[in-house]
Amino acid sequence: MQMVFCGIGGQGILLATRAIGEYALSKGFNVIGSEIHGMAQRGGSVVSHLKIGHYKSPLVMRGEADILLSFDWNEGLMNLPFLKEGGLAVLNGDINFKVNHPVIEELIKGRKIKLYIVDGYKVALWELGNPSVLNVVMLGALSSLREDLFPSEGLRKVIENIIPYKFRDINLKAFDLGKRAEIKEVI
């Protein structure tokens, strides 16, 4: 399985990537990954690649990713070309966002990409009052869509292990709320 995580600096992309990688390792899979930082500390792009299984190179090539998890709507749309035919994209954004770009719509339809949107900030900010848990909200949403690959019990255990104790409870709550958040198929 090949995954791409993207967003902007400060959204916890690398921690989310680590959580999925740690979960895969706990199940005995080989894991290899790479991070690409732009001007991350100034709100620039951050992209992280993760491969689970027997791979020799950490970078995911365009058209080969199974899953794209984006913490930012625009970054997600820009990274859609990484998805293979039938790939899954889960993007953070206002639930009423639409693609509204013919080239991107053609890519989504041509590759039969399943594009979902979840308002992760609504959960992180409005329900928990803490935008720094957006990454864990998005992991919950991903788990909701692909419980077969990322079961709640396994990811919750990883979150308990990698998050410092003083932030553990709010992150577990963020994960649970992400699982129950409204998720809408965009196209």
Side-chain angles (χ1 to χ4, degrees):
M1 177 187 322
Q2 299 185 62
M3 298 180 68
V4 174
F5 300 76
C6 65
I8 55 178
Q11 291 183 312
I13 296 154
L14 304 183
L15 182 69
T17 306
R18 179 179 169 205
I20 296 294
E22 294 277 343
Y23 173 72
L25 284 170
S26 76
K27 296 298 172 189
F29 293 105
N30 292 328
V31 175
I32 186 170
S34 178
E35 304 160 359
I36 301 166
H37 303 262
M39 297 291 284
Q41 292 183 350
R42 296 186 179 194
S45 298
V46 176
V47 179
S48 178
H49 295 196
L50 185 72
K51 292 181 174 180
I52 301 169
H54 296 286
Y55 295 97
K56 296 190 185 302
S57 166
L59 294 179
V60 176
M61 305 307 290
R62 291 183 179 264
E64 294 185 358
D66 299 284
I67 295 173
L68 170 69
L69 185 63
S70 178
F71 304 161
D72 179 81
W73 174 256
N74 290 322
E75 292 292 326
L77 294 180
M78 286 190 294
N79 284 285
L80 281 175
F82 279 108
L83 285 172
K84 69 179 187 183
E85 185 170 330
L88 170 68
V90 185
L91 278 56
N92 173 45
D94 186 300
I95 205 83
N96 296 311
F97 281 177
K98 301 203 180 307
V99 172
N100 289 332
H101 192 286
V103 173
I104 298 172
E105 288 178 359
E106 185 179 315
L107 173 73
I108 293 167
K109 291 176 182 170
R111 290 196 190 167
K112 300 178 177 101
I113 293 169
K114 296 202 177 295
L115 175 61
Y116 294 93
I117 186 167
V118 59
D119 195 340
Y121 272 130
K122 181 178 176 183
V123 174
L125 282 170
W126 296 2
E127 296 187 39
L128 296 170
N130 188 339
S132 66
V133 295
L134 169 68
N135 55 351
V136 181
V137 170
M138 295 303 292
L139 287 174
L142 176 64
S143 175
S144 175
L145 286 166
R146 292 303 310 260
E147 179 76 27
D148 59 323
L149 296 174
F150 310 109
S152 300
E153 187 176 311
L155 282 182
R156 287 182 107 259
K157 189 170 185 175
V158 167
I159 290 165
E160 286 177 8
N161 290 335
I162 67 173
I163 300 287
Y165 178 77
K166 65 181 179 179
F167 303 116
R168 193 172 299 154
D169 287 345
I170 193 169
N171 278 279
L172 290 172
K173 192 170 185 177
F175 180 82
D176 293 340
L177 290 172
K179 288 240 3 152
R180 296 192 302 263
E182 180 182 2
I183 299 172
K184 181 178 167 188
E185 188 166 6
V186 177
I187 292 181

